[in-house]
Amino acid sequence: GSLLSWDHSPTEQLAVVVHRCANAMLAEVVVVGGVDASPESVPPRTIAVDGRVEYCKPQVAFLADGRILARLNLAGDLKTSSGLDMANPPHVIHGLWTIRVSGKHGQDLIEPVSACESWAHGSYDVCSGSYGSGHGVKEGFVLDHERKHVAFTARAQTAETLADE
């Protein structure tokens, strides 16, 4: 596995990491304690699974209100276990999501972000960088300094843009 993305919360002693699993097709989005948090206060916990890491690298960033903005190929049934059967990869929905992390034992709230009003969520792909090359756009979300606005690129999904389906 490898670390694909991470960020720290501006409101709590939390960090979020995206860990690519050993099978290289899945990645777990894991909440952990921040730098000053004790391991007992925030035990590591998987809050989402990206089901197609090779399609577009998952990204995460905390917003000003403490929610996590995630660019994921989210498993359609919102499973949070990396033990998914890769002989039968899960159906995924590409796009932007917000995740409101609950307390230690609560239920997290995952909601789609409507990035393009004229397209249904999941009918377009969102990239946290750029589909072009050679212009210096970096990987990862581009957030304003207040963490309230994000820049991204989007394109309609077609059979040609989804090489894995």
Side-chain angles (χ1 to χ4, degrees), residues 14 38 93 115 134 136:
L14 291 176
S38 69
I93 302 171

Side-chain angles (χ1 to χ4, degrees), residues 61-123:
F62 276 98
L63 299 174
D65 64 4
R67 290 178 301 154
I68 298 167
L69 179 65
R71 187 273 170 244
L72 295 173
N73 302 299
L74 192 61
D77 59 3
L78 306 180
K79 284 187 180 177
T80 57
S81 169
S82 60
L84 296 171
D85 176 13
M86 287 318 301
N88 299 302
H91 171 74
V92 296
I93 302 171
H94 310 285
L96 286 177
W97 308 86
T98 58
I99 305 171
R100 184 168 303 280
V101 178
S102 66
K104 252 197 279 194
H105 304 292
Q107 184 67 28
D108 304 311
L109 178 62
I110 301 174
E111 296 182 306
V113 174
S114 180
C116 301
E117 289 185 22
S118 61
W119 295 340
H121 187 268
S123 69

Side-chain angles (χ1 to χ4, degrees), residues 33-53:
V35 175
D36 295 327
S38 69
E40 299 80 34
S41 66
V42 185
R45 177 164 71 85
T46 301
I47 60 171
V49 171
D50 186 295
R52 296 285 193 286
V53 172

Side-chain angles (χ1 to χ4, degrees), residues 121-132:
H121 187 268
S123 69
Y124 56 91
D125 186 36
V126 177
C127 184
S128 50
S130 174
Y131 288 108

